[in-house]
Amino acid sequence: HPAHYTRGGVECIDAIRSALGERGFVDHCRACAIKYAWRSPHKGAEAEDLRKAAWYLSRAADELAAREGGRG
């Protein structure tokens, strides 16, 4: 949770979740994962970008699991 992702006590990812709703947020996370995986071999920080992709997929899965009552 780097400080540059938080303003006024609100973390950016939480504001995105609030603005997009559940389905929009899951789709946003999937899109970010695709972006990070796609560019990973081309920026010189492949492992870091793959970790970011995995983080977004995990966040999307957590979102869906919460809706499904914790399954996942």
Side-chain angles (χ1 to χ4, degrees):
H1 302 280
H4 61 269
Y5 284 112
T6 303
R7 292 289 180 267
V10 177
E11 194 167 350
C12 183
I13 194 75
D14 295 328
I16 292 168
R17 167 61 180 90
S18 182
L20 298 180
E22 178 189 295
R23 184 74 250 163
F25 181 69
V26 169
D27 291 342
H28 166 75
C29 288
R30 290 176 62 227
C32 286
I34 291 167
K35 174 188 75 171
Y36 282 114
W38 185 283
R39 74 183 197 177
S40 65
H42 307 291
K43 277 190 58 200
E46 189 168 3
E48 180 181 353
D49 276 351
L50 291 175
R51 282 187 195 93
K52 288 178 182 179
W55 185 90
Y56 276 104
L57 290 175
S58 179
R59 183 71 191 251
D62 290 348
E63 185 78 18
L64 293 172
R67 176 184 72 193
E68 296 168 357
R71 293 180 317 199

